């Protein structure tokens, strides 16, 4: 069951990697509900970021759920390593896996939550056959690869239509959005039905003294 509130997942892609453990501890203390971890392979997306060993190293710094976003090709080859590293939610990309149902099923069989992500160019209809197999849908609001990009506005309509699809199928699962979220556009995303919000730049941009203030600014525009 997903709680009816704005859940924030701070994306550590915008953190200071030289003190990553401390950054995780600081955003946890500042009120982030989850820790969003972007794994990139330089193939599915142009950028290369972190792997399972970094995740297991930062795991002791927070008890909050680790929301691991795999932007890698053929994710099924690596899910065991990310589960062992401490992922609580493991999200694969629809575009990166020829057999997403098998991979989602496998992730769930290991006792953690399984998520499916779609890129901005992927239509929402692709998700309909996957609803029974996932605990979370992640709608990319930017082309994945880098933090600090601008939300592609057409994706807000997509969030609305996925939210309607979830209602129709009576699925109370996370509807996560990722990319360019800030205190100005978050209200529209929540209105559209998003209930788990990733934010990188909007939280980290002013340094650690402002993490709490920046997270609060995202949580303030609550909608009923
Ligand atoms: C982008 C990543 C995002 C990114 C979000 O490919 O998946 O999680 O870190 O950062 P902002 O909020 O700065 O767009
Ligand atoms: Zn992400």
């Amino acid at each position: 069951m997903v709680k009816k509130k704005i859940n924030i997942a701070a994306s550590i892609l915008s953190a200071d990697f030289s003190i990553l453990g401390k950054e995780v501890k600081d955003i946890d203390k500042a009120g982030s509900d989850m820790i969003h971890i972007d794994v990139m392979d330089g193939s599915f997306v142009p950028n290369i970021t972190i792997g399972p060993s970094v995740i297991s190293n930062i795991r002791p710094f927070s008890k909050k759920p680790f929301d691991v976003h795999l932007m890698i090709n053929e994710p099924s080859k690596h899910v065991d390593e990310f589960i062992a590293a401490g992922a609580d939610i493991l999200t694969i990309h629809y575009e990166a896996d020829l057999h997403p149902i098998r991979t989602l099923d496998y992730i769930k069989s290991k006792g953690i939550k399984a998520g499916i992500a779609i890129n901005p160019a992927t239509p929402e209809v692709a998700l309909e056959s996957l609803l029974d197999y996932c605990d979370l849908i992640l709608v990319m609001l930017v082309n994945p690869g880098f933090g600090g990009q601008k939300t592609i506005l057409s994706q807000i309509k997509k969030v609305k239509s996925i939210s309607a699809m979830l209602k129709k199928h009576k699925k109370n699962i996370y509807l996560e959005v990722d990319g360019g979220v800030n205190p100005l556009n978050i209200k529209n995303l929540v209105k559209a039905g998003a209930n788990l919000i990733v934010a990188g730049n909007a939280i980290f941009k002013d340094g650690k003294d402002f993490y709490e203030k920046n997270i609060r600014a995202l949580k303030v525009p609550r909608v009923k």
Side-chain angles (χ1 to χ4, degrees):
M1 282 297 229
V2 177
K3 278 183 245 161
K4 275 235 176 329
K5 63 162 193 158
I6 300 180
N7 295 285
I8 301 291
S11 168
I12 59 167
L13 189 60
S14 297
D16 180 345
F17 275 35
S18 69
I19 48 161
L20 203 49
K22 186 174 177 302
E23 291 278 69
V24 167
K25 199 172 171 175
D26 285 347
I27 47 168
D28 173 330
K29 241 179 73 190
S32 187
D33 299 290
M34 294 190 192
I35 314 297
H36 184 82
I37 302 172
D38 288 307
V39 176
M40 305 185 185
D41 66 353
S43 169
F44 181 69
V45 288
N47 199 4
I48 300 178
T49 55
I50 64 177
S53 63
V54 174
I55 297 176
S56 53
N57 274 276
I58 58 174
R59 183 64 272 194
F61 289 86
S62 171
K63 288 194 167 59
K64 302 248 173 95
F66 272 21
D67 171 35
V68 178
H69 177 193
L70 295 184
M71 283 158 278
I72 63 174
N73 278 317
E74 298 189 81
S76 61
K77 289 185 176 168
H78 299 281
V79 295
D80 281 327
E81 297 159 69
F82 287 100
I83 294 168
D88 298 287
I89 302 170
L90 197 53
T91 296
I92 60 165
H93 263 265
Y94 171 77
E95 304 84 359
D97 194 329
L98 289 174
H99 310 292
I101 291 181
R102 180 185 289 151
T103 310
L104 292 167
D105 249 351
Y106 182 76
I107 294 169
K108 279 163 77 93
S109 78
K110 295 290 166 184
I112 67 164
K113 288 190 174 12
I116 189 81
I118 54 169
N119 283 334
T122 302
E124 57 272 33
V125 67
L127 298 167
E128 202 140 14
S129 58
L130 301 176
L131 295 181
D132 287 342
Y133 306 93
C134 61
D135 305 295
L136 177 151
I137 285 169
L138 169 52
V139 180
M140 288 309 300
L141 304 175
V142 297
N143 289 298
F146 304 96
Q149 302 184 75
K150 213 171 168 297
T151 295
I152 300 168
L153 287 178
S154 58
Q155 300 309 301
I156 300 182
K157 213 173 123 202
K158 194 197 268 183
V159 173
K160 212 171 166 183
S161 115
I162 295 170
S163 175
M165 186 194 293
L166 292 177
K167 273 198 191 104
K168 182 178 144 203
H169 291 273
K170 298 191 170 56
K171 297 280 176 199
N172 181 26
I173 65 173
Y174 283 115
L175 180 47
E176 183 173 36
V177 290
D178 185 0
V181 177
N182 59 47
L184 295 175
N185 64 12
I186 191 168
K187 198 171 174 181
N188 283 337
L189 290 160
V190 172
K191 250 195 206 157
N195 51 31
L196 177 57
I197 316 286
V198 178
N201 190 53
I203 293 173
F204 286 94
K205 65 184 169 64
D206 307 309
K208 73 170 169 43
D209 293 343
F210 294 87
Y211 293 170
E212 197 177 334
K213 181 169 176 266
N214 289 345
I215 290 173
R216 212 180 319 126
L218 292 167
K219 288 191 176 190
V220 167
R222 284 165 193 259
V223 289
K224 281 189 189 121

